[in-house]
Amino acid sequence: MKSMNTLNMCDFCSLERSECGAEPVLAVLLKLKNLEPEHSESVVACDKYISPVDVLKERFHDPSL
């Protein structure tokens, strides 16, 4: 069985994980058989995620920012 490709949501978020106060769901909680150990702490869901694309869209459409 092939290992999973894992994306950590924190790598694509506008907030800093250590300071954001989020309660993330980590990959290890999914109990996947083919999850590589180094990816077990990857964030797969988050209650504070802010997309950098959304931040740029907001700034682009608001001339006061």
Short mmCIF file of all heavy atoms in Angstrom, two decimals:
data_model
loop_
_atom_site.label_atom_id
_atom_site.label_comp_id
_atom_site.label_asym_id
_atom_site.label_seq_id
_atom_site.Cartn_x
_atom_site.Cartn_y
_atom_site.Cartn_z
N MET A 1 0.85 -1.18 0.00
CA MET A 1 0.00 0.00 0.00
C MET A 1 0.89 1.24 0.00
O MET A 1 1.84 1.33 0.75
CB MET A 1 -0.89 -0.05 1.24
CG MET A 1 -1.92 1.03 1.25
SD MET A 1 -3.00 0.92 2.71
CE MET A 1 -4.33 -0.02 2.01
N LYS A 2 0.56 2.20 -0.83
CA LYS A 2 1.34 3.43 -0.94
C LYS A 2 1.08 4.33 0.25
O LYS A 2 0.01 4.33 0.82
CB LYS A 2 0.97 4.15 -2.22
CG LYS A 2 1.36 3.42 -3.49
CD LYS A 2 0.80 4.09 -4.70
CE LYS A 2 1.68 5.24 -5.11
NZ LYS A 2 1.28 5.85 -6.37
N SER A 3 2.11 5.12 0.61
CA SER A 3 1.91 6.09 1.68
C SER A 3 1.06 7.25 1.18
O SER A 3 0.96 7.48 -0.02
CB SER A 3 3.25 6.60 2.18
OG SER A 3 3.90 7.34 1.18
N MET A 4 0.47 7.94 2.11
CA MET A 4 -0.41 9.07 1.78
C MET A 4 0.41 10.31 1.49
O MET A 4 1.46 10.53 2.09
CB MET A 4 -1.33 9.38 2.96
CG MET A 4 -2.17 8.23 3.46
SD MET A 4 -3.55 7.86 2.41
CE MET A 4 -4.58 9.27 2.65
N ASN A 5 -0.06 11.15 0.59
CA ASN A 5 0.49 12.50 0.44
C ASN A 5 -0.21 13.34 1.49
O ASN A 5 -1.43 13.37 1.56
CB ASN A 5 0.20 13.07 -0.95
CG ASN A 5 1.07 12.47 -2.01
OD1 ASN A 5 2.18 12.07 -1.73
ND2 ASN A 5 0.56 12.39 -3.21
N THR A 6 0.56 14.01 2.31
CA THR A 6 -0.01 14.75 3.42
C THR A 6 0.27 16.23 3.27
O THR A 6 1.41 16.63 3.04
CB THR A 6 0.57 14.26 4.76
OG1 THR A 6 0.40 12.85 4.84
CG2 THR A 6 -0.11 14.92 5.93
N LEU A 7 -0.77 17.05 3.39
CA LEU A 7 -0.64 18.49 3.39
C LEU A 7 -1.00 18.99 4.79
O LEU A 7 -2.00 18.59 5.35
CB LEU A 7 -1.59 19.14 2.38
CG LEU A 7 -1.37 18.78 0.93
CD1 LEU A 7 -2.46 19.41 0.07
CD2 LEU A 7 -0.01 19.25 0.46
N ASN A 8 -0.16 19.83 5.33
CA ASN A 8 -0.41 20.40 6.64
C ASN A 8 -1.07 21.76 6.42
O ASN A 8 -0.47 22.67 5.84
CB ASN A 8 0.91 20.55 7.40
CG ASN A 8 0.73 21.06 8.80
OD1 ASN A 8 -0.36 21.44 9.21
ND2 ASN A 8 1.81 21.06 9.55
N MET A 9 -2.30 21.92 6.88
CA MET A 9 -3.03 23.18 6.68
C MET A 9 -2.26 24.39 7.21
O MET A 9 -2.39 25.48 6.67
CB MET A 9 -4.39 23.11 7.36
CG MET A 9 -5.38 22.22 6.67
SD MET A 9 -6.99 22.24 7.49
CE MET A 9 -7.57 23.88 7.06
N CYS A 10 -1.46 24.20 8.25
CA CYS A 10 -0.70 25.31 8.82
C CYS A 10 0.30 25.89 7.83
O CYS A 10 0.67 27.06 7.93
CB CYS A 10 0.01 24.88 10.09
SG CYS A 10 -1.13 24.51 11.44
N ASP A 11 0.73 25.09 6.86
CA ASP A 11 1.66 25.58 5.85
C ASP A 11 1.00 26.55 4.89
O ASP A 11 1.67 27.26 4.16
CB ASP A 11 2.26 24.41 5.06
CG ASP A 11 3.15 23.53 5.91
OD1 ASP A 11 3.63 23.98 6.97
OD2 ASP A 11 3.38 22.37 5.50
N PHE A 12 -0.33 26.58 4.86
CA PHE A 12 -1.07 27.42 3.92
C PHE A 12 -1.97 28.43 4.62
O PHE A 12 -2.90 28.96 4.04
CB PHE A 12 -1.93 26.54 3.00
CG PHE A 12 -1.11 25.51 2.26
CD1 PHE A 12 -1.01 24.21 2.73
CD2 PHE A 12 -0.42 25.86 1.12
CE1 PHE A 12 -0.25 23.28 2.06
CE2 PHE A 12 0.35 24.93 0.44
CZ PHE A 12 0.43 23.63 0.92
N CYS A 13 -1.70 28.67 5.88
CA CYS A 13 -2.54 29.57 6.69
C CYS A 13 -1.84 30.90 6.93
O CYS A 13 -0.62 30.96 7.00
CB CYS A 13 -2.86 28.89 8.03
SG CYS A 13 -3.98 29.84 9.08
N SER A 14 -2.62 31.95 7.08
CA SER A 14 -2.07 33.28 7.35
C SER A 14 -1.72 33.49 8.82
O SER A 14 -1.09 34.48 9.16
CB SER A 14 -3.07 34.36 6.92
OG SER A 14 -3.26 34.30 5.53
N LEU A 15 -2.12 32.57 9.68
CA LEU A 15 -1.84 32.69 11.11
C LEU A 15 -0.63 31.85 11.49
O LEU A 15 -0.30 30.89 10.81
CB LEU A 15 -3.05 32.22 11.92
CG LEU A 15 -4.36 32.95 11.67
CD1 LEU A 15 -5.50 32.26 12.41
CD2 LEU A 15 -4.26 34.40 12.11
N GLU A 16 0.01 32.19 12.60
CA GLU A 16 1.12 31.41 13.14
C GLU A 16 0.55 30.38 14.11
O GLU A 16 -0.18 30.73 15.04
CB GLU A 16 2.11 32.32 13.88
CG GLU A 16 2.87 33.26 12.97
CD GLU A 16 3.80 32.52 12.01
OE1 GLU A 16 4.37 31.48 12.40
OE2 GLU A 16 3.94 33.00 10.88
N ARG A 17 0.88 29.10 13.91
CA ARG A 17 0.29 28.04 14.72
C ARG A 17 0.52 28.23 16.22
O ARG A 17 -0.36 27.99 17.03
CB ARG A 17 0.80 26.67 14.28
CG ARG A 17 0.14 25.54 15.03
CD ARG A 17 0.54 24.20 14.49
NE ARG A 17 -0.14 23.15 15.22
CZ ARG A 17 0.04 21.88 15.00
NH1 ARG A 17 0.87 21.48 14.06
NH2 ARG A 17 -0.59 20.97 15.70
N SER A 18 1.68 28.64 16.60
CA SER A 18 1.98 28.76 18.03
C SER A 18 1.19 29.87 18.71
O SER A 18 1.06 29.86 19.93
CB SER A 18 3.48 29.00 18.23
OG SER A 18 3.87 30.19 17.59
N GLU A 19 0.64 30.81 17.94
CA GLU A 19 -0.04 31.96 18.52
C GLU A 19 -1.51 32.08 18.12
O GLU A 19 -2.19 33.00 18.55
CB GLU A 19 0.68 33.24 18.09
CG GLU A 19 2.12 33.29 18.52
CD GLU A 19 2.87 34.45 17.90
OE1 GLU A 19 2.25 35.27 17.19
OE2 GLU A 19 4.09 34.53 18.12
N CYS A 20 -2.04 31.16 17.33
CA CYS A 20 -3.37 31.36 16.77
C CYS A 20 -4.51 30.92 17.68
O CYS A 20 -5.64 31.33 17.50
CB CYS A 20 -3.50 30.64 15.42
SG CYS A 20 -3.48 28.85 15.55
N GLY A 21 -4.22 30.07 18.65
CA GLY A 21 -5.26 29.62 19.57
C GLY A 21 -6.22 28.61 18.95
O GLY A 21 -7.31 28.40 19.48
N ALA A 22 -5.84 27.99 17.88
CA ALA A 22 -6.70 27.02 17.20
C ALA A 22 -6.80 25.70 17.95
O ALA A 22 -5.96 25.39 18.79
CB ALA A 22 -6.17 26.75 15.79
N GLU A 23 -7.84 24.95 17.63
CA GLU A 23 -8.00 23.60 18.13
C GLU A 23 -8.01 22.67 16.91
O GLU A 23 -9.06 22.24 16.45
CB GLU A 23 -9.30 23.48 18.91
CG GLU A 23 -9.30 24.30 20.18
CD GLU A 23 -10.56 24.14 20.99
OE1 GLU A 23 -11.17 23.05 20.95
OE2 GLU A 23 -10.94 25.10 21.66
N PRO A 24 -6.82 22.38 16.37
CA PRO A 24 -6.75 21.62 15.13
C PRO A 24 -7.01 20.12 15.31
O PRO A 24 -6.86 19.57 16.40
CB PRO A 24 -5.30 21.85 14.68
CG PRO A 24 -4.55 22.02 15.96
CD PRO A 24 -5.51 22.75 16.87
N VAL A 25 -7.40 19.49 14.21
CA VAL A 25 -7.52 18.03 14.15
C VAL A 25 -6.27 17.53 13.44
O VAL A 25 -5.96 17.97 12.32
CB VAL A 25 -8.78 17.61 13.37
CG1 VAL A 25 -8.83 16.10 13.19
CG2 VAL A 25 -10.03 18.12 14.08
N LEU A 26 -5.54 16.65 14.10
CA LEU A 26 -4.29 16.14 13.55
C LEU A 26 -4.52 14.84 12.77
O LEU A 26 -5.45 14.09 13.05
CB LEU A 26 -3.29 15.89 14.67
CG LEU A 26 -2.96 17.10 15.55
CD1 LEU A 26 -1.98 16.72 16.64
CD2 LEU A 26 -2.44 18.26 14.74
N ALA A 27 -3.65 14.60 11.80
CA ALA A 27 -3.76 13.43 10.94
C ALA A 27 -3.76 12.12 11.73
O ALA A 27 -4.44 11.17 11.35
CB ALA A 27 -2.63 13.43 9.91
N VAL A 28 -3.03 12.08 12.83
CA VAL A 28 -2.94 10.85 13.62
C VAL A 28 -4.32 10.40 14.12
O VAL A 28 -4.56 9.21 14.30
CB VAL A 28 -1.93 11.02 14.78
CG1 VAL A 28 -2.45 11.96 15.84
CG2 VAL A 28 -1.56 9.68 15.37
N LEU A 29 -5.24 11.34 14.32
CA LEU A 29 -6.57 10.99 14.81
C LEU A 29 -7.41 10.24 13.78
O LEU A 29 -8.40 9.61 14.13
CB LEU A 29 -7.31 12.25 15.25
CG LEU A 29 -6.68 12.99 16.43
CD1 LEU A 29 -7.42 14.29 16.69
CD2 LEU A 29 -6.69 12.11 17.67
N LEU A 30 -7.01 10.29 12.51
CA LEU A 30 -7.73 9.58 11.46
C LEU A 30 -7.43 8.08 11.46
O LEU A 30 -8.13 7.31 10.83
CB LEU A 30 -7.40 10.17 10.08
CG LEU A 30 -7.77 11.64 9.90
CD1 LEU A 30 -7.31 12.12 8.54
CD2 LEU A 30 -9.26 11.84 10.07
N LYS A 31 -6.35 7.69 12.15
CA LYS A 31 -5.94 6.29 12.29
C LYS A 31 -5.78 5.60 10.94
O LYS A 31 -6.25 4.48 10.73
CB LYS A 31 -6.91 5.54 13.19
CG LYS A 31 -6.96 6.12 14.59
CD LYS A 31 -7.90 5.39 15.49
CE LYS A 31 -7.85 6.10 16.83
NZ LYS A 31 -8.88 5.72 17.72
N LEU A 32 -5.12 6.28 10.01
CA LEU A 32 -4.85 5.71 8.70
C LEU A 32 -3.70 4.72 8.78
O LEU A 32 -2.69 5.00 9.41
CB LEU A 32 -4.52 6.83 7.71
CG LEU A 32 -5.60 7.88 7.51
CD1 LEU A 32 -5.05 9.06 6.72
CD2 LEU A 32 -6.80 7.28 6.82
N LYS A 33 -3.83 3.60 8.13
CA LYS A 33 -2.81 2.56 8.19
C LYS A 33 -1.53 2.95 7.45
O LYS A 33 -0.46 2.53 7.81
CB LYS A 33 -3.35 1.26 7.60
CG LYS A 33 -4.46 0.66 8.42
CD LYS A 33 -5.01 -0.58 7.76
CE LYS A 33 -6.20 -1.08 8.55
NZ LYS A 33 -6.84 -2.20 7.90
N ASN A 34 -1.66 3.74 6.40
CA ASN A 34 -0.49 4.09 5.58
C ASN A 34 0.02 5.52 5.80
O ASN A 34 0.68 6.08 4.96
CB ASN A 34 -0.80 3.85 4.10
CG ASN A 34 -2.05 4.56 3.65
OD1 ASN A 34 -2.77 5.14 4.45
ND2 ASN A 34 -2.33 4.49 2.37
N LEU A 35 -0.24 6.09 6.95
CA LEU A 35 0.24 7.43 7.29
C LEU A 35 1.67 7.34 7.79
O LEU A 35 1.97 6.59 8.73
CB LEU A 35 -0.65 8.06 8.36
CG LEU A 35 -0.29 9.48 8.80
CD1 LEU A 35 -0.51 10.47 7.66
CD2 LEU A 35 -1.10 9.88 10.02
N GLU A 36 2.56 8.09 7.18
CA GLU A 36 3.96 8.10 7.60
C GLU A 36 4.06 8.76 8.98
O GLU A 36 3.39 9.76 9.24
CB GLU A 36 4.81 8.89 6.60
CG GLU A 36 4.86 8.28 5.21
CD GLU A 36 5.65 6.98 5.16
OE1 GLU A 36 6.55 6.79 6.01
OE2 GLU A 36 5.37 6.15 4.29
N PRO A 37 4.90 8.21 9.87
CA PRO A 37 5.01 8.76 11.23
C PRO A 37 5.35 10.25 11.28
O PRO A 37 4.85 10.97 12.15
CB PRO A 37 6.13 7.93 11.86
CG PRO A 37 6.18 6.68 11.07
CD PRO A 37 5.74 7.03 9.68
N GLU A 38 6.17 10.73 10.36
CA GLU A 38 6.55 12.15 10.39
C GLU A 38 5.39 13.07 10.01
O GLU A 38 5.46 14.28 10.21
CB GLU A 38 7.76 12.42 9.48
CG GLU A 38 7.52 12.19 8.02
CD GLU A 38 7.93 10.80 7.53
OE1 GLU A 38 8.08 9.89 8.34
OE2 GLU A 38 8.08 10.66 6.32
N HIS A 39 4.30 12.52 9.50
CA HIS A 39 3.13 13.33 9.13
C HIS A 39 2.00 13.24 10.15
O HIS A 39 0.94 13.84 9.96
CB HIS A 39 2.61 12.91 7.76
CG HIS A 39 3.60 13.08 6.67
ND1 HIS A 39 4.09 14.30 6.27
CD2 HIS A 39 4.22 12.17 5.89
CE1 HIS A 39 4.96 14.14 5.30
NE2 HIS A 39 5.06 12.85 5.06
N SER A 40 2.22 12.53 11.24
CA SER A 40 1.14 12.31 12.20
C SER A 40 0.66 13.60 12.87
O SER A 40 -0.48 13.70 13.29
CB SER A 40 1.57 11.30 13.26
OG SER A 40 2.66 11.79 14.00
N GLU A 41 1.53 14.63 12.96
CA GLU A 41 1.16 15.90 13.58
C GLU A 41 0.65 16.93 12.57
O GLU A 41 0.44 18.08 12.92
CB GLU A 41 2.35 16.47 14.36
CG GLU A 41 2.79 15.61 15.53
CD GLU A 41 1.72 15.52 16.61
OE1 GLU A 41 1.19 16.56 17.02
OE2 GLU A 41 1.42 14.38 17.04
N SER A 42 0.44 16.52 11.33
CA SER A 42 -0.07 17.43 10.31
C SER A 42 -1.52 17.78 10.62
O SER A 42 -2.32 16.94 11.03
CB SER A 42 0.00 16.79 8.92
OG SER A 42 1.33 16.63 8.54
N VAL A 43 -1.87 19.04 10.41
CA VAL A 43 -3.23 19.52 10.67
C VAL A 43 -4.08 19.26 9.43
O VAL A 43 -3.77 19.70 8.34
CB VAL A 43 -3.22 21.04 11.01
CG1 VAL A 43 -4.63 21.57 11.13
CG2 VAL A 43 -2.43 21.28 12.28
N VAL A 44 -5.19 18.51 9.63
CA VAL A 44 -6.09 18.18 8.52
C VAL A 44 -7.40 18.97 8.58
O VAL A 44 -8.13 19.04 7.60
CB VAL A 44 -6.38 16.67 8.44
CG1 VAL A 44 -5.11 15.90 8.12
CG2 VAL A 44 -6.99 16.14 9.72
N ALA A 45 -7.69 19.57 9.74
CA ALA A 45 -8.87 20.42 9.89
C ALA A 45 -8.57 21.42 11.00
O ALA A 45 -7.85 21.11 11.95
CB ALA A 45 -10.10 19.60 10.24
N CYS A 46 -9.12 22.63 10.86
CA CYS A 46 -8.80 23.68 11.82
C CYS A 46 -9.96 24.66 11.94
O CYS A 46 -10.60 25.00 10.96
CB CYS A 46 -7.54 24.40 11.37
SG CYS A 46 -7.03 25.70 12.50
N ASP A 47 -10.18 25.13 13.16
CA ASP A 47 -11.26 26.09 13.40
C ASP A 47 -10.83 27.54 13.23
O ASP A 47 -11.66 28.44 13.29
CB ASP A 47 -11.85 25.88 14.79
CG ASP A 47 -10.85 26.09 15.92
OD1 ASP A 47 -9.64 25.95 15.68
OD2 ASP A 47 -11.28 26.39 17.04
N LYS A 48 -9.54 27.79 12.97
CA LYS A 48 -9.05 29.17 12.84
C LYS A 48 -8.37 29.44 11.50
O LYS A 48 -7.82 30.51 11.30
CB LYS A 48 -8.02 29.47 13.95
CG LYS A 48 -8.51 29.30 15.34
CD LYS A 48 -9.28 30.48 15.80
CE LYS A 48 -9.68 30.28 17.26
NZ LYS A 48 -10.38 31.36 17.82
N TYR A 49 -8.41 28.50 10.58
CA TYR A 49 -7.71 28.62 9.30
C TYR A 49 -8.13 29.88 8.55
O TYR A 49 -9.33 30.15 8.39
CB TYR A 49 -7.97 27.39 8.43
CG TYR A 49 -7.36 27.47 7.07
CD1 TYR A 49 -6.02 27.22 6.88
CD2 TYR A 49 -8.14 27.77 5.95
CE1 TYR A 49 -5.44 27.29 5.62
CE2 TYR A 49 -7.58 27.84 4.69
CZ TYR A 49 -6.23 27.60 4.53
OH TYR A 49 -5.66 27.67 3.29
N ILE A 50 -7.14 30.65 8.11
CA ILE A 50 -7.38 31.84 7.27
C ILE A 50 -6.51 31.70 6.03
O ILE A 50 -5.29 31.75 6.10
CB ILE A 50 -7.05 33.15 8.00
CG1 ILE A 50 -7.92 33.31 9.25
CG2 ILE A 50 -7.23 34.33 7.06
CD1 ILE A 50 -7.59 34.54 10.07
N SER A 51 -7.15 31.54 4.90
CA SER A 51 -6.44 31.36 3.64
C SER A 51 -5.74 32.65 3.22
O SER A 51 -6.36 33.72 3.22
CB SER A 51 -7.44 30.96 2.55
OG SER A 51 -6.87 31.09 1.28
N PRO A 52 -4.47 32.57 2.83
CA PRO A 52 -3.78 33.76 2.33
C PRO A 52 -4.45 34.33 1.09
O PRO A 52 -4.44 35.53 0.87
CB PRO A 52 -2.37 33.26 2.01
CG PRO A 52 -2.21 31.98 2.70
CD PRO A 52 -3.58 31.41 2.90
N VAL A 53 -5.06 33.48 0.29
CA VAL A 53 -5.77 33.93 -0.91
C VAL A 53 -6.96 34.79 -0.52
O VAL A 53 -7.21 35.84 -1.12
CB VAL A 53 -6.21 32.73 -1.78
CG1 VAL A 53 -7.07 33.18 -2.93
CG2 VAL A 53 -4.99 31.96 -2.27
N ASP A 54 -7.70 34.37 0.51
CA ASP A 54 -8.84 35.17 0.96
C ASP A 54 -8.39 36.52 1.52
O ASP A 54 -9.06 37.53 1.30
CB ASP A 54 -9.63 34.40 2.03
CG ASP A 54 -10.39 33.23 1.45
OD1 ASP A 54 -10.66 33.23 0.23
OD2 ASP A 54 -10.70 32.29 2.22
N VAL A 55 -7.27 36.55 2.21
CA VAL A 55 -6.73 37.81 2.73
C VAL A 55 -6.40 38.75 1.57
O VAL A 55 -6.74 39.93 1.60
CB VAL A 55 -5.48 37.56 3.61
CG1 VAL A 55 -4.80 38.86 3.96
CG2 VAL A 55 -5.86 36.79 4.86
N LEU A 56 -5.75 38.23 0.54
CA LEU A 56 -5.41 39.06 -0.62
C LEU A 56 -6.64 39.54 -1.36
O LEU A 56 -6.71 40.69 -1.79
CB LEU A 56 -4.49 38.28 -1.57
CG LEU A 56 -3.08 38.04 -1.05
CD1 LEU A 56 -2.32 37.12 -2.00
CD2 LEU A 56 -2.34 39.33 -0.85
N LYS A 57 -7.64 38.68 -1.52
CA LYS A 57 -8.90 39.08 -2.17
C LYS A 57 -9.55 40.23 -1.41
O LYS A 57 -10.02 41.20 -1.99
CB LYS A 57 -9.87 37.90 -2.24
CG LYS A 57 -9.56 36.89 -3.29
CD LYS A 57 -10.63 35.82 -3.24
CE LYS A 57 -10.36 34.68 -4.16
NZ LYS A 57 -11.36 33.62 -4.05
N GLU A 58 -9.58 40.09 -0.10
CA GLU A 58 -10.20 41.12 0.74
C GLU A 58 -9.47 42.45 0.60
O GLU A 58 -10.08 43.50 0.45
CB GLU A 58 -10.19 40.64 2.19
CG GLU A 58 -10.96 41.52 3.14
CD GLU A 58 -10.98 40.93 4.53
OE1 GLU A 58 -11.45 39.81 4.70
OE2 GLU A 58 -10.51 41.63 5.45
N ARG A 59 -8.15 42.41 0.63
CA ARG A 59 -7.36 43.64 0.51
C ARG A 59 -7.48 44.25 -0.88
O ARG A 59 -7.50 45.46 -1.03
CB ARG A 59 -5.90 43.36 0.84
CG ARG A 59 -5.68 43.11 2.29
CD ARG A 59 -4.24 42.91 2.62
NE ARG A 59 -4.11 42.64 4.04
CZ ARG A 59 -3.01 42.17 4.59
NH1 ARG A 59 -1.94 41.91 3.87
NH2 ARG A 59 -2.95 41.95 5.88
N PHE A 60 -7.55 43.41 -1.90
CA PHE A 60 -7.65 43.90 -3.27
C PHE A 60 -8.97 44.64 -3.51
O PHE A 60 -9.02 45.63 -4.20
CB PHE A 60 -7.52 42.73 -4.24
CG PHE A 60 -7.61 43.13 -5.68
CD1 PHE A 60 -6.57 43.78 -6.31
CD2 PHE A 60 -8.76 42.86 -6.41
CE1 PHE A 60 -6.64 44.15 -7.65
CE2 PHE A 60 -8.85 43.24 -7.75
CZ PHE A 60 -7.80 43.88 -8.36
N HIS A 61 -10.03 44.15 -2.87
CA HIS A 61 -11.35 44.74 -3.09
C HIS A 61 -11.70 45.84 -2.10
O HIS A 61 -12.73 46.48 -2.23
CB HIS A 61 -12.43 43.64 -3.05
CG HIS A 61 -12.32 42.70 -4.22
ND1 HIS A 61 -12.59 43.08 -5.50
CD2 HIS A 61 -11.91 41.41 -4.27
CE1 HIS A 61 -12.38 42.05 -6.31
NE2 HIS A 61 -11.97 41.03 -5.59
N ASP A 62 -10.84 46.09 -1.12
CA ASP A 62 -11.10 47.16 -0.15
C ASP A 62 -9.96 48.19 -0.27
O ASP A 62 -8.88 48.00 0.26
CB ASP A 62 -11.15 46.60 1.26
CG ASP A 62 -11.57 47.64 2.28
OD1 ASP A 62 -11.61 48.85 1.94
OD2 ASP A 62 -11.84 47.26 3.43
N PRO A 63 -10.18 49.30 -0.96
CA PRO A 63 -9.14 50.29 -1.20
C PRO A 63 -8.60 50.94 0.07
O PRO A 63 -7.51 51.51 0.05
CB PRO A 63 -9.80 51.32 -2.11
CG PRO A 63 -11.24 51.02 -2.12
CD PRO A 63 -11.45 49.66 -1.55
N SER A 64 -9.29 50.83 1.17
CA SER A 64 -8.81 51.46 2.40
C SER A 64 -7.73 50.63 3.09
O SER A 64 -7.11 51.09 4.04
CB SER A 64 -9.97 51.70 3.38
OG SER A 64 -10.49 50.48 3.82
N LEU A 65 -7.51 49.39 2.64
CA LEU A 65 -6.48 48.53 3.27
C LEU A 65 -5.15 48.65 2.60
O LEU A 65 -4.95 48.94 1.53
CB LEU A 65 -6.95 47.07 3.28
CG LEU A 65 -8.18 46.78 4.09
CD1 LEU A 65 -8.59 45.32 3.92
CD2 LEU A 65 -7.92 47.04 5.57
#
